[in-house]
Each structure stands twice: as structure tokens, then as C-alpha cells.
Amino acid sequence: MKDDIYNNLKLDLPELKEGVLLKDYTTFKIGGLAKYFFIAHSKEILIKVIKLAKTNKIPIFVLGGGSNLLISDKGFKGLVIKLKVKSYKVNKNKIVVDAGVGLSKLVNLVLENSLTGMDWAAGIPGSTGGAIYGNAQAFGEKISDNLMEVEYLDVKSLKIKKVSKKQCKFTLKNSIFKKNKNLIVLSATFDLKKGNINEIRKNVLEHINYRKKNHPINFPSAGSVFVNTETKITNKKLLAKFPELKYFNSKGVIPSGYLIEKVGLSGKQIGGAKFSDVHANFIVNTGNAKAQDVLKLIKLAKKKVKKIFNINLETEIQIL
Ligand SMILES: Cc1cc2nc3c(=O)[nH]c(=O)nc-3n(C[C@H](O)[C@H](O)[C@H](O)COP(=O)(O)OP(=O)(O)OC[C@H]3O[C@@H](n4cnc5c(N)ncnc54)[C@H](O)[C@@H]3O)c2cc1C
């Protein structure tokens, strides 16, 4: 039976839905029901829906492309807002894109305008907003590299504000938007450089082909499970047993996939979830994985990596 709050909200928001299966909105294909679900096509409607949620004391969760998310099998007892603001503007070297613009669209826009600096993102699913939230990166480049400023909504004041790249406090897979859930990315301005379109196209294709070969793209997943660890291992026994560590030490970053492989978890399956044999830092859904299966694998990897390498793996996938 539909509840009173839903009926009241529906008067103001005719497109509001109830009991929406969230697995259909994530690349992992995992997740239970959202009590309420709304697709926001404009900034104005986003503010309106958040205002109503606040008045009715309904917790909110902002969803982008759902490509870095593990949603509980129990779903979310609040309002999930899928951000679908999708405008963009190109002015010479500058591109302004709304948070809901897909990274693939952004890569295409950059390519069409013979601009460089975004080809590394080719093949990464998800939205620009989600990429800024987690400072998406690949092949040594990051979404923050060519960013000028970000426009965001402050959920507390319901005011739209702007911050410079510096104020976003980007670090490895992190930003102020990840630290403060009251900040919703609305749009971003990038300052890019002119380049040779054929070279840019070549880079884009190379990155897509690399992903096809080295990532388990034939199974649902949420990308890398753990953030790579910025550290150096000095333990002599470990350095003797795992000689590759010397190379990683020289880079200052130990890849999580390497650690998971070396603790023997590559290919390990619990229920329907499995550490990929193709890339050990991916957990794939082999068919009917539950969030619980994924969480058990995460716990196991953290425990083993801590025991053998004394490294605390940080989970990259956002858990709801
Ligand atoms: C096959 C595959 C390959 C991938 N490869 C990479 C890779 O190479 N590099 C990489 O960095 N990532 C990679 N990812 C992970 C993912 O695609 C990126 O992190 C992406 O940027 C997440 O964006 P999203 O819109 O899907 O975010 P979602 O999954 O929808 O959300 C992730 C988090 O961001 C928050 N969020 C989303 N939008 C906003 C917003 N507008 N404002 C505030 N918060 C927001 C959500 O609340 C949530 O907490 C990969 C994923 C897959 C499935």
C-alpha cells in the first residue's frame, strides 16, 4: 500500500516513483529497493525535490551512473535521486558539462573539438559528477588535472556555489565531495589544450582496447574495489619474497590488484561474487551475486593483505 508521505510528495512531484529496484541502476547489477526514487533532469527540480525530502525528514542518496557503487540487498529506505542534468557548452578550449553528462560523452566532446587531456577516461563508465566525487583516474591522469572549477549544491543551505580546483582538495580517489555528503556536484568547467584529432582518436582507441584486454568487461562490476596504496614496503623478508615490490616502491604506490593476487585471492568466489582472474582488483558478479557476497570478499582481502603485507586496503567502491 502506498504511504501518505508518498501520496503527498507525488502531488508536488508527479514523476516520483516508489519501490524501485536499484540493481537496475548499477553496473554491479546488485541492490534492493529504493523506498522512493526520482530522476532529476534540472537543477531547479533537484533543489525542489531535496527541499521536500528535508521537510519530510527523508534521507537522500545521489546516484550518478551507478558504476562505483555497491548497494545493499536491503536497498535504501529513503529517496534515491538519479542526477540526469545533461547540458554542456564548448567555448574554444573550455568545456562546461553538467554532472549528469557521461564520461564517455565528455571524452567524445573533447575529441570532436580536437582537445587533449581527457582521452585517458575513454571506456570508464559513469557520470562526470561521480568522477569528480571520487577523482577518477587512469593511466596516470586524473579528472582533476584539467579542471578549473566545480559548481555544486549545498544541501544544508540549498544554495548553489562554486569552488576552484584547489578548494576541491583532490587527493588520490578523494575530494571534498566525498568527504562531505551535503555537497552535490552540479557542473564542472575544464580547461583543455588543442591537439591533433588523429592522435587524440588513436589514444582513445588504445585506452579502450587496453580495457578490453585487461579488465573483466564481460561481467558486471563496479570497477576497482580498492584504492591503490601510497606507501613503500621496507620489510626485507617481503622484499626478498616479492621482488616486484622494489619497482612499486620506486613509484610510491602498491597496486591493490597485485596484493590481492599475491595473497592468493585471484579467482576466489563467495556466492555469486568473484575476484576476477583477469584483474584481481575487480570483483565481478557472476550472475546472482548478493551485496553480502561482495562484502565478504572485501573483508577477506583486507584481512589477508593486512596479515601478509601489513597494509590496510581502502575500499574504493562506495557502499550504500
Ligand atoms: C568496468 C569499469 C571500469 C572502471 N574503470 C575506472 C577507472 O579506470 N578509473 C576510475 O577512477 N574509476 C573507474 N571505474 C569506476 C567508476 O566508473 C568511476 O569511479 C565513475 O567516475 C563513478 O561515477 P558514477 O557516476 O557511476 O558514480 P556512482 O557510482 O553513481 O556514485 C559513486 C559515488 O559518487 C556519488 N556521486 C555521484 N554523482 C554525484 C554528484 N553529482 N555529486 C555528488 N556525489 C555524487 C554517489 O553518491 C556515490 O557515493 C570503473 C567502473 C567500471 C564498472
Side-chain angles (χ1 to χ4, degrees), residues 231-255 258-259 262 308-309 311:
T231 190
K232 284 184 183 170
I233 291 186
T234 50
N235 180 303
K236 285 191 182 133
K237 273 189 192 160
L238 283 176
L239 289 171
K241 191 168 177 195
F242 304 106
E244 303 87 354
L245 287 175
K246 285 182 196 122
Y247 171 75
F248 298 135
N249 275 349
S250 74
K251 300 276 165 199
V253 178
I254 320 276
Y258 172 82
L259 297 172
K262 293 300 167 194
I308 297 175
F309 291 98
I311 284 178

Side-chain angles (χ1 to χ4, degrees), residues 69-122:
L69 263 187
L70 175 65
I71 298 181
S72 160
D73 304 317
K74 291 184 182 142
F76 181 63
K77 292 184 179 31
L79 169 66
V80 171
I81 305 170
K82 177 153 173 80
L83 203 51
K84 259 198 167 174
V85 285
K86 287 197 166 199
S87 302
Y88 56 84
K89 214 188 293 169
V90 183
N91 185 3
K92 293 183 186 154
N93 291 5
K94 293 200 174 56
I95 295 194
V96 186
V97 284
D98 277 351
V101 170
L103 273 184
S104 56
K105 174 74 193 172
L106 178 58
V107 170
N108 275 338
L109 268 178
V110 171
L111 173 66
E112 281 162 16
N113 288 279
S114 296
L115 295 166
T116 59
M118 212 55 86
D119 41 80
W120 59 273

